[in-house]
Amino acid sequence: MTIYLNGQFMLIADAKISVLDRGFMFGDGVYEVIPVYSRKAFRLSSHLQRLQHSLDGIRIPNPHSEAEWMALIAQLIAANQPEDQYLYLHITRGVALRDHAFPNPPVPPTVFMMSNALIHPPAHLLETGVACVTAEDNRWLRCDLKAISLLPNVLLRQAAVEAGCAETLLVREGGFITEGAASNIFMVKNGTLYAPPKDNLMLPGITYDVILELAATHGIPHEVRRITLDEVRHADELLMTSSTREVLPITQLDGKPVGCGKPAAMFTQLYSLYQTFKQEVMRA
Ligand code: PDD
């Protein structure tokens, strides 16, 4: 596997960073995950805009212009075998003696990128859907930043795995759903698609945007507003979205069936629209 680290492409086995890197010490950095279909990065500008938002949010100057990122990403894709890849971009505040405050004077950020094969969700999951659990959303109040300090997300996802489930739906104080531990969540009730509003409590998903755009283009009734846990428990359908999982139906929540307990009409329509859209965009 060829990776990129601080200006150089190299084999992953040769990539080394300092133990004093602030990413290692403090989780002081941000990241992006970008799907690549047939060697083309999907929605690259949106991912780079979100990266800029994350960098601004933690006050790391962007080490590259958009054109530079695009050129580096094209090289990374070309250097790796799979046709469909997922790219991981990771930027930390750099290497400095351990002190919580920012290094003064500032040090160059650490820039790391790798590519892995994009594994598509297995067909049987699309037919059966996935099971999820709920848990209190105990993360910080800047979940709009794609920060590498993911300890709450790690523990929340592990809770799902230990319950034999695919994801944990996060419930904030006040009883509303924000997102999943590593995905966005949609609800369907009486033919309308509901999405939580983009605010500081959730990551503005790129797949989330695509789903809402498809709903708008294809006349699917949809509404962006807070969704309560009580509504989720009585939903007709629940969907989860992310760059690596695309759109998946949630057919069980906390051990009880969601709606009819099987993938239903809204999922089928959005899944098919998503696949068509992907192909059209990538061909263009
Ligand atoms: N995670 N919310 C959270 C907390 C996430 O970590 C992710 C994605 C999403 C979905 O965003 P997008 O559609 O842009 O992938 C929502 C990635 C895949 C990860 O951390 O690996």
Side-chain angles (χ1 to χ4, degrees):
M1 189 207 291
T2 301
I3 64 98
Y4 172 89
L5 181 63
N6 295 332
Q8 286 182 315
F9 288 90
M10 63 186 84
L11 293 176
I12 185 116
D14 297 328
K16 304 272 183 294
I17 58 156
S18 166
V19 291
L20 290 178
D21 192 278
R22 290 180 61 95
F24 184 63
M25 280 287 155
F26 296 113
D28 183 0
V30 296
Y31 76 109
E32 266 303 317
V33 172
I34 309 171
V36 171
Y37 300 108
S38 307
R39 303 198 158 271
K40 285 192 193 133
F42 185 66
R43 291 255 155 154
L44 185 50
S45 293
S46 308
H47 281 280
L48 292 176
Q49 271 166 31
R50 186 172 65 187
L51 178 65
Q52 184 68 57
H53 173 76
S54 300
L55 287 167
D56 291 346
I58 69 163
R59 295 160 59 196
I60 294 181
N62 196 332
H64 296 299
S65 66
E66 180 164 329
E68 285 168 354
W69 278 117
M70 286 187 171
L72 289 171
I73 285 169
Q75 268 183 277
L76 183 69
I77 295 171
N80 284 284
Q81 290 292 328
E83 288 290 296
D84 291 356
Q85 307 178 8
Y86 87 83
L87 306 181
Y88 177 82
L89 278 56
H90 178 117
I91 297 135
T92 80
R93 204 179 304 277
V95 178
L97 280 180
R98 188 175 182 279
D99 179 350
H100 287 63
F102 298 176
N104 189 12
V107 293
T110 300
V111 181
F112 168 60
M113 291 196 288
M114 67 175 167
S115 164
N116 287 280
L118 181 65
I119 310 293
H120 298 281
H124 73 90
L125 280 191
L126 302 174
E127 277 154 32
T128 60
V130 297
C132 291
V133 290
T134 56
E136 184 195 349
D137 191 345
N138 56 7
R139 300 173 301 163
W140 69 333
L141 299 177
R142 290 308 308 274
C143 296
D144 56 313
L145 305 178
K146 208 159 168 56
I148 59 170
S149 31
L150 284 172
L151 196 46
N153 306 62
V154 166
L155 295 172
L156 289 161
R157 171 60 74 79
Q158 186 60 22
V161 170
E162 286 172 11
C165 292
E167 182 60 302
T168 302
L169 272 58
L170 308 181
V171 187
R172 276 282 171 187
E173 205 179 322
F176 58 91
I177 295 280
T178 52
E179 59 182 338
S183 59
N184 290 116
I185 302 296
F186 292 81
M187 177 185 84
V188 181
K189 188 72 186 176
N190 299 328
T192 298
L193 179 71
Y194 293 92
K198 283 192 201 172
D199 58 15
N200 61 312
L201 299 179
M202 72 167 231
L203 186 80
I206 308 298
T207 324
Y208 165 104
D209 283 344
V210 175
I211 291 291
L212 284 182
E213 283 168 32
L214 289 173
T217 312
H218 295 274
I220 297 172
H222 60 283
E223 200 181 320
V224 176
R225 65 148 170 86
R226 288 241 155 113
I227 303 167
T228 67
L229 178 59
D230 189 54
E231 288 180 301
V232 160
R233 296 223 184 276
H234 298 97
D236 296 333
E237 293 179 54
L238 294 175
L239 311 176
M240 61 185 272
T241 64
S242 84
S243 292
T244 45
R245 293 173 160 194
E246 299 187 336
V247 52
L248 280 180
I250 300 170
T251 46
Q252 229 192 68
L253 188 65
D254 292 331
K256 302 211 173 69
V258 175
C260 66
K262 292 195 189 113
M266 185 70 83
F267 166 72
T268 309
Q269 186 180 6
L270 283 172
Y271 179 80
S272 140
L273 289 173
Y274 195 87
Q275 298 308 319
T276 309
F277 174 77
K278 229 169 68 181
Q279 273 151 25
E280 278 165 11
V281 172
M282 302 326 278
R283 267 201 300 271

